[in-house]
Amino acid sequence: MGKYLRKNIIPIIIESVFILSCFIFPKEYFIYTNFIFYLLLLIYFCIKKDFSLKEWLSNIKGGKRFWKQVSITALLFVSAFIITIILENLFPNYNTGTIALRIDSWLTLTIFAISTIILPAITEETFYRKNMIFFQNKRMLISTTLLSMFLYAIEHSLTIWGIFLTMIWALPLSISYIKTKNIYVPMTAHFIGNLLGNGIDVIMTIISMI
């Protein structure tokens, strides 16, 4: 348990500082603080060797079994988004408290693309799934999975309703990691989901800016 805490204390501190910054800085700065948050996590995980680009690429070349797991996870991940959209429309008066990222220049568009498509898939899966989910026993597995889903959620939203919705996003990614014990499965599925969702926003923004 001590090793578990040591592994996660720095990322938790980084996330805590990021969340605190959302109450301190104006909303137009969120896109920068959000990018710094992911960048710091990426640097930390690379230093600690929790993430390996070489291993990720090796898994991507792994064959049908890997891609079958990724496809199922990506489908469930996208379905989770659809479910939360339906819930938002059913309860429009509930504030999701989503941490919005403002795009007003080519610089912020570039930062938005990197920090919503590429970096989250790497850092969030390494942090909230690989490092936080603890397989020691069933009780620890359930409690650490719920904790990881909660921390994932408060990184995206600052209200109870929004946290609940975002935990729904985390559910298929968490189950995928628990079932496969291969972090690169949910990582790849997460990247695909981000590419489909935020990639469209990037393209539409580019069109509007040209």
Side-chain angles (χ1 to χ4, degrees):
M1 196 63 187
K3 183 179 179 181
Y4 176 82
L5 293 174
R6 289 193 299 271
K7 178 184 290 187
N8 291 298
I9 188 64
I10 298 299
I12 289 174
I13 290 173
I14 293 173
E15 177 172 348
S16 300
V17 172
F18 168 66
I19 294 170
L20 182 62
S21 74
C22 293
F23 295 97
I24 297 174
F25 294 107
K27 292 182 178 179
E28 56 265 29
Y29 291 102
F30 286 1
I31 192 162
Y32 301 108
T33 56
N34 183 70
F35 175 72
I36 293 170
F37 164 69
Y38 285 126
L39 188 60
L40 289 175
L41 285 181
L42 179 63
I43 292 171
Y44 177 78
F45 293 140
C46 287
I47 291 173
K48 300 295 289 184
K49 297 181 179 180
D50 290 324
F51 166 74
S52 168
L53 180 59
K54 184 178 179 180
E55 286 183 16
W56 193 10
L57 293 175
S58 177
N59 274 268
I60 288 173
K61 299 174 184 178
K64 291 182 180 179
R65 185 170 182 272
F66 175 79
W67 282 103
K68 180 180 179 181
Q69 294 170 335
V70 169
S71 299
I72 294 172
T73 304
L75 179 61
L76 293 174
F77 185 44
V78 172
S79 298
F81 270 98
I82 294 173
I83 290 171
T84 57
I85 291 172
I86 293 172
L87 289 173
E88 284 184 51
N89 290 327
L90 287 175
F91 303 98
N93 295 324
Y94 288 13
N95 181 17
T96 61
T98 303
I99 299 173
L101 306 178
R102 183 180 298 180
I103 304 172
D104 53 15
S105 67
W106 288 103
L107 173 61
T108 52
L109 176 61
T110 302
I111 292 173
F112 177 84
I114 295 172
S115 58
T116 62
I117 299 175
I118 302 172
L119 293 183
I122 297 172
T123 58
E124 290 176 357
E125 294 313 306
T126 303
F127 181 13
Y128 302 117
R129 256 63 71 180
K130 181 182 178 183
N131 285 5
M132 289 221 66
I133 295 178
F134 197 35
F135 288 90
Q136 185 179 42
N137 53 58
K138 188 174 181 180
R139 182 178 178 182
M140 289 299 298
L141 177 61
I142 293 173
S143 59
T144 56
T145 299
L146 290 174
L147 175 61
S148 71
M149 290 169 62
F150 174 74
L151 290 178
Y152 169 83
I154 62 172
E155 179 239 310
H156 292 82
S157 180
L158 301 174
T159 65
I160 294 175
W161 176 238
I163 289 170
F164 169 73
L165 293 178
T166 312
M167 287 180 73
I168 294 176
W169 303 351
L171 185 58
L173 298 171
S174 301
I175 292 174
S176 175
Y177 177 57
I178 292 169
K179 290 292 185 181
T180 65
K181 293 183 176 60
N182 181 355
I183 194 58
Y184 298 106
V185 172
M187 189 178 290
T188 307
H190 194 158
F191 173 76
I192 293 171
N194 286 352
L195 187 62
L196 291 174
N198 296 314
I200 293 174
D201 290 339
V202 170
I203 292 171
M204 295 305 295
T205 303
I206 290 174
I207 293 173
S208 67
M209 292 175 68
I210 294 177

